[in-house]
Amino acid sequence: MQPTEKKRQPPTPELRAVVGYGEPLYNEVMQFLIEEARALDDDRPGDWLAMLSQDVRYTMPVRQTRHRRDGAGYDAGMNWFYDDHASLAFKIRRLDTQSAFAEDPPSRTRRFVSNLWLQQTTASNEFFAQSYLLLLRNRGHEAGFDTLPFRRDDLLRREGASLKLARRTILMDQ
């Protein structure tokens, strides 16, 4: 990946019809998002990696506090992370080494997925899914939880019989 590529956000897909709550595709996508959350909460990162397309882009732009007149509150040129399949696979392999001390013992997490908004795109095998995620995380002997709310803008792609995550932009509320 070229250094300048990190500054570019993945292109926004051209959207078409909304897929309504209860429609078979809506249910399939919601099931995918729930299974993804379970794989991560159950500490199965290899299963999670298998849910990603080979050309995945996984980003989280930096949140900025701005006045309404100044536009969106995220900096598209600055990211907390901008990962592809290879970098995510490397991070997962690192968990099995002595150098992943920040996650040994692992955090206890619980992900709650909700408010799915699903649209078809102009590509027949790709779908835009916007969802909310509430992440609760507990570390070590701490009594409390970190509470982290997010919005996620995902591009899901049908590859064979299954869905794969092709793009994710995580927009942190704080």
Side-chain angles (χ1 to χ4, degrees):
M1 181 181 323
Q2 298 298 322
T4 56
E5 185 181 346
K6 286 190 174 193
K7 295 189 177 190
R8 289 193 299 258
Q9 294 299 312
T12 303
E14 190 175 332
L15 303 177
R16 292 181 40 216
V18 172
V19 178
Y21 175 79
E23 292 185 36
L25 179 60
Y26 186 99
N27 294 341
E28 181 183 11
V29 168
M30 192 66 192
Q31 183 69 31
F32 175 88
L33 296 173
I34 290 169
E35 288 175 11
E36 177 194 23
R38 277 191 75 188
L40 292 167
D41 287 346
D42 292 347
D43 196 24
R44 295 183 287 118
D47 291 349
W48 175 75
L49 189 64
M51 300 175 83
L52 310 181
S53 69
Q54 289 297 311
D55 65 340
V56 69
R57 288 291 180 267
Y58 202 87
T59 66
M60 188 168 88
V62 172
R63 174 76 185 213
Q64 296 182 329
T65 302
R66 298 180 183 169
H67 293 283
R68 284 188 179 106
R69 68 180 175 270
D70 296 329
Y74 297 93
D75 185 340
M78 192 176 357
N79 293 281
W80 288 108
F81 50 83
Y82 186 102
D83 286 318
D84 59 13
H85 198 277
S87 63
L88 291 167
F90 176 80
K91 289 176 181 182
I92 288 170
R93 283 192 309 274
R94 186 175 171 271
L95 291 174
D96 291 330
T97 69
Q98 296 281 330
S99 66
F101 54 87
E103 277 301 314
D104 193 13
S107 297
R108 290 173 290 277
T109 61
R110 195 65 63 218
R111 290 165 176 82
F112 299 90
V113 181
S114 70
N115 295 52
L116 174 61
W117 179 261
L118 183 62
Q119 285 183 270
Q120 296 176 341
T121 69
T122 53
S124 63
N125 65 334
E126 292 184 341
F127 312 96
F128 174 75
Q130 187 178 84
S131 62
Y132 295 164
L133 180 79
L134 180 63
L135 172 65
L136 300 178
R137 182 182 76 128
N138 175 271
R139 297 245 336 122
H141 298 292
E142 296 174 15
F145 283 88
D146 295 327
T147 304
L148 304 168
F150 305 90
R151 184 182 104 195
R152 303 180 308 178
D153 292 348
D154 296 340
L155 183 67
L156 300 173
R157 181 181 303 134
R158 187 169 306 285
E159 294 182 6
S162 61
L163 291 173
K164 299 279 185 169
L165 179 64
R167 306 277 181 274
R168 172 163 288 157
T169 302
I170 300 169
L171 302 171
M172 233 178 152
D173 288 346
Q174 182 60 3

